């Protein structure tokens, strides 16, 4: 049984989804673990990790628009806003989604469905460097 | 230390919750792992895995009604709808909930609370066959 | 490779966030596992586990206010309410957030980002004793 850690850095350019499936897959191939599970964990509270359909860009655009309406930047009851009007909404969007995903690995491959991809869901408007900690446990 | 994979298929008949606790529990018993954790991962982007109260059907009905109102099928800004009006809402409902759950196993049993059950949360109106990948890691 | 289980109990005093990062960290230190992952699992369906920013109380207050508005206690379509008007909203808030979190462990420490803390998110108004099952897998 082995534990293998990797770190990824993703440069985001504003709100929306950024796919990291291939980066995670290549870390799994490199480490040689054939059966187990990978945990993909984002080390921030203003972006998320989500699994989302990876075929059609319109689905990602509609998702972004839904979240912009669900968590508007100008809610009059927000008191936390030292970093700007997208600060508090970014924390709420993160809590409504996920900080990590755990995906089974069999025969050296993540067992994602046909249309599933792993994405960073960026909630801030400005560009950011996002750190992702990847832990692979298995044999 | 062992890694054990299993696959489940669940036939859903429209939106709502379908319990799979017993099916997961029986896979754990069969594999003989007594201590560790199980990851229950659904290989689709239009349904979810959730842990929900399993005692009272009214709670599940109210949950479904809440999500129908939170993510209406007729939102005028949706552009992704090639598979029907419940297509885009199904992806949003999935992102708002979960693709997987990881549950501790001790003494051969999942450590669920008294009222917790594991459910497929189906977001499409038509019947579907849903594939769930179950990975048990432990000893 | 080792599997180590621990149980925590947290006394909550109404809706809101209660940090448990230090309690989880101390269980990891005690068990001696240096590399792996920890799953923090709450055994209830009316509260959640979330990772949230731990620096500023105003962020937690705004988060609570957002959820109070998103899932109002007086929705006229709720039928499940045997335990009071905060009963059904508590289940919905739990489904919209998380029952567990899995955090990588490297060099004996959880790999949380600078501002990340692990919290119980209580959804009931009355005080509760909340049981958390913590499973550490690694070597």
């Amino acid at each position: 049984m082995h534990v293998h850690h990797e770190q990824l850095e993703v440069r985001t350019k504003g709100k929306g989804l950024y796919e990291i499936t291939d980066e995670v897959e290549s870390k799994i191939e490199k480490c040689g673990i054939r059966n187990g599970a990978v945990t993909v964990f984002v080390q921030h509270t203003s972006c998320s990790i989500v699994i989302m359909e990876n075929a059609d860009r319109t689905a990602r655009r509609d998702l972004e628009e839904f979240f912009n309406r669900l968590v508007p930047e100008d809610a009059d009851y927000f008191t936390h806003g030292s970093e700007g009007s997208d600060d508090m909404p970014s924390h709420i969007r993160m809590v409504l989604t996920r900080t990590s995903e755990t995906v089974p690995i069999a025969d050296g491959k993540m067992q994602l469905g046909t249309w599933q991809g792993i994405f960073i869901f960026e909630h801030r408007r400005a560009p950011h460097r996002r750190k992702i900690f990847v832990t692979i446990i298995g044999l």
Side-chain angles (χ1 to χ4, degrees), chain A:
Chain A
M1 203 76 171
H2 298 280
V3 174
H4 188 84
H5 298 304
E6 291 279 352
Q7 284 174 277
L8 296 174
E9 190 179 83
V10 175
R11 289 171 188 236
T12 60
K13 295 166 190 167
K15 291 181 176 188
L17 291 159
Y18 299 82
E19 187 160 11
I20 58 169
T21 315
D22 290 350
E23 286 85 342
V24 176
E25 194 75 62
S26 80
K27 298 297 188 190
I28 294 166
E29 278 172 29
K30 205 182 76 176
C31 84
I33 288 173
R34 302 283 299 164
N35 285 286
V38 57
T39 295
V40 181
F41 182 92
V42 67
Q43 295 175 304
H44 305 275
T45 60
S46 55
C47 64
S48 309
I49 295 283
V50 295
I51 287 178
M52 178 60 183
E53 103 121 64
N54 67 357
D56 189 342
R57 283 184 178 281
T58 62
R60 271 120 75 186
R61 194 172 53 202
D62 290 354
L63 182 73
E64 175 57 36
E65 181 62 19
F66 175 84
F67 273 89
N68 279 335
R69 288 163 184 248
L70 185 67
V71 195
E73 291 195 7
D74 56 357
D76 56 13
Y77 61 89
F78 287 160
T79 58
H80 175 86
S82 49
E83 292 184 42
S85 64
D86 59 337
D87 182 8
M88 192 58 223
S90 75
H91 298 313
I92 294 173
R93 287 163 60 133
M94 179 273 300
V95 169
L96 285 169
T97 52
R98 304 158 206 162
T99 294
S100 69
E101 270 295 345
T102 298
V103 184
I105 299 168
D107 299 328
K109 294 277 179 196
M110 281 192 287
Q111 296 302 299
L112 295 168
T114 310
W115 309 111
Q116 286 181 315
I118 305 173
F119 293 84
I120 292 277
F121 192 4
E122 177 61 70
H123 304 312
R124 302 301 304 267
R125 275 191 264 112
H128 280 79
R129 293 188 183 200
R130 298 308 197 173
K131 291 179 186 168
I132 301 143
F133 204 93
V134 177
T135 295
I136 307 158
I137 297 181
L139 31 89

